[in-house]
């Protein structure tokens, strides 16, 4: 008998993924419920690599929702739609993996494969998820969002301003998130390093998200050319998968 992909929580996750969140509160609700399920997934349970990423994603998305409630963004319609499209790609990757589909993005497969062990350190696991979601998912989520809103990715626009504002949310949340993945002895080293590690992680996120915006502009220009778009999809998937495997390798431990 074939073991269910998600073990004892398989049915719960399948049922959750059958629903497609239509707004940011629903995305937060999905991520919250998913986190409760992933930390019960054997054999790694609390140290499940996907749970390590999902916790980070939930924290950032909850902060985005708070920003929407607080009128933090110039174009909340754009940012709300982007948040939903962005999350949809993460949930779609999980659905494909659930179905053992060969269409599962390689960028995500390298993280999904680690859920049965061997164990991976929490910070590299979270970084591998961020890599797949930003380097692969985000450019296409941007293109889908702009297409839906009949707009386009223009530098200096209100939408670009709001997109960059998310970098400030990352900068605010990264220190607490990163330290939450560290063991006691690593926290001591982190304290001795001062703010260097937090600054570096913030700069890395900002750079990576800028590359995603540039890739979205490139895809936008060829969006009506199926062959060119597929070429971009394969390129971004291959690149993100290569980086993801590196992050989850023994070298990835140096992140901690």
């Amino acid at each position: 008998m074939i073991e269910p992909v998600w073990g004892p929580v398989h049915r719960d996750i399948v049922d959750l993924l059958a629903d497609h969140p239509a707004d940011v509160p629903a995305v937060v609700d999905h991520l919250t419920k998913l986190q409760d399920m992933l930390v019960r997934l054997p054999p790694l349970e609390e140290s499940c690599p996907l749970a390590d990423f999902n916790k980070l994603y939930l924290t950032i998305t909850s902060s985005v929702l708070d920003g929407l409630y607080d009128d933090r963004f110039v174009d909340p319609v754009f940012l709300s739609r982007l948040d939903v499209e962005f999350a949809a790609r993460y949930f779609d990757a999980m659905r494909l993996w659930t179905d053992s589909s060969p269409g599962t993005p390689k960028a995500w497969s390298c993280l999904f494969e680690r859920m049965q062990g061997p164990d991976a350190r929490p910070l590299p696991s979270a970084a591998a998820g961020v890599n797949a979601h930003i380097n692969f998912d985000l450019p296409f989520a941007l293109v889908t969002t702009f297409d839906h809103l009949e707009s386009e990715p223009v530098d200096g626009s209100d939408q670009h301003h709001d997109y960059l504002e998310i970098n400030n949310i990352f900068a605010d949340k990264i220190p607490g998130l990163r330290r939450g993945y560290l063991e006691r002895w690593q926290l001591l080293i982190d304290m001795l390093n001062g703010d260097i590690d937090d600054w570096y992680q913030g700069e890395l996120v900002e750079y990576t998200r800028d590359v995603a915006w540039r890739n979205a502009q490139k895809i936008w220009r060829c969006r009506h050319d199926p062959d060119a778009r597929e070429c971009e999809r394969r390129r971004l998937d291959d690149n993100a998968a290569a980086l993801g495997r590196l992050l989850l390798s023994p070298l990835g431990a140096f992140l901690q």
Side-chain angles (χ1 to χ4, degrees):
M1 182 176 179
I2 299 177
E3 180 73 16
V5 172
W6 305 106
V9 296
H10 186 85
R11 177 44 54 189
D12 291 336
I13 290 182
V14 168
D15 290 344
L16 180 70
L17 295 176
D19 185 25
H20 298 252
D23 54 31
V24 183
V27 171
V28 170
D29 182 65
H30 265 56
L31 293 172
T32 301
K33 291 175 179 175
L34 182 58
Q35 186 67 19
D36 291 339
M37 297 171 192
L38 291 174
V39 296
R40 293 185 281 120
L41 180 62
L44 301 178
E45 296 182 341
E46 291 287 347
S47 63
C48 169
L50 189 57
D52 292 328
F53 162 71
N54 195 81
K55 179 175 69 173
L56 181 153
Y57 188 25
L58 172 58
T59 299
I60 298 299
T61 307
S62 297
S63 296
V64 171
L65 179 59
D66 290 341
L68 288 167
Y69 287 146
D70 295 339
D71 297 324
R72 180 171 183 170
F73 306 107
V74 180
D75 190 344
V77 173
F78 160 74
L79 204 64
S80 297
R81 184 71 190 193
L82 176 60
D83 194 281
V84 170
E85 295 292 347
F86 193 33
R89 297 190 65 86
Y90 171 47
F91 295 134
D92 284 347
M94 291 186 65
R95 290 187 195 96
L96 290 168
W97 183 258
T98 301
D99 295 336
S100 301
S101 170
T104 306
K106 289 182 280 187
W108 281 110
S109 294
C110 62
L111 182 60
F112 294 157
E113 289 167 355
R114 296 301 293 267
M115 290 186 295
Q116 296 300 315
D119 199 2
R121 289 183 180 273
L123 188 54
S125 296
V130 171
N131 161 63
H133 209 27
I134 293 181
N135 286 323
F136 178 63
D137 289 340
L138 185 52
F140 294 98
L142 280 164
V143 169
T144 304
T145 298
F146 280 114
D147 190 50
H148 174 81
L149 298 177
E150 299 182 343
S151 183
E152 57 184 299
V154 176
D155 291 354
S157 62
D158 287 346
Q159 293 88 355
H160 191 215
H161 173 276
D162 286 343
Y163 180 81
L164 295 177
E165 183 63 24
I166 301 299
N167 293 342
N168 294 325
I169 291 178
F170 270 99
D172 180 55
K173 296 299 181 182
I174 278 175
L177 284 166
R178 193 175 59 79
R179 291 182 181 90
Y181 295 119
L182 302 181
E183 298 176 12
R184 186 172 299 176
W185 65 271
Q186 293 166 326
L187 286 170
L188 178 60
I189 296 175
D190 183 73
M191 182 180 67
L192 295 175
N193 285 340
D195 296 330
I196 293 176
D197 291 335
D198 294 333
W199 173 83
Y200 166 75
Q201 293 291 334
E203 289 294 306
L204 184 60
V205 167
E206 185 173 336
Y207 170 78
T208 304
R209 294 189 77 252
D210 182 64
V211 171
W213 178 267
R214 302 301 165 199
N215 281 324
Q217 291 176 320
K218 186 175 182 179
I219 297 167
W220 180 260
R221 290 192 291 269
C222 69
R223 67 191 184 281
H224 298 307
D225 183 337
D227 291 337
R229 183 183 172 110
E230 174 61 17
C231 182
E232 282 301 299
R233 188 202 66 79
R234 288 197 303 267
R235 179 181 70 85
L236 294 179
D237 194 15
D238 288 343
N239 290 346
L243 180 54
R245 287 191 291 270
L246 178 62
L247 290 167
L248 292 167
S249 73
L251 285 175
F254 285 110
L255 281 171
Q256 291 189 288

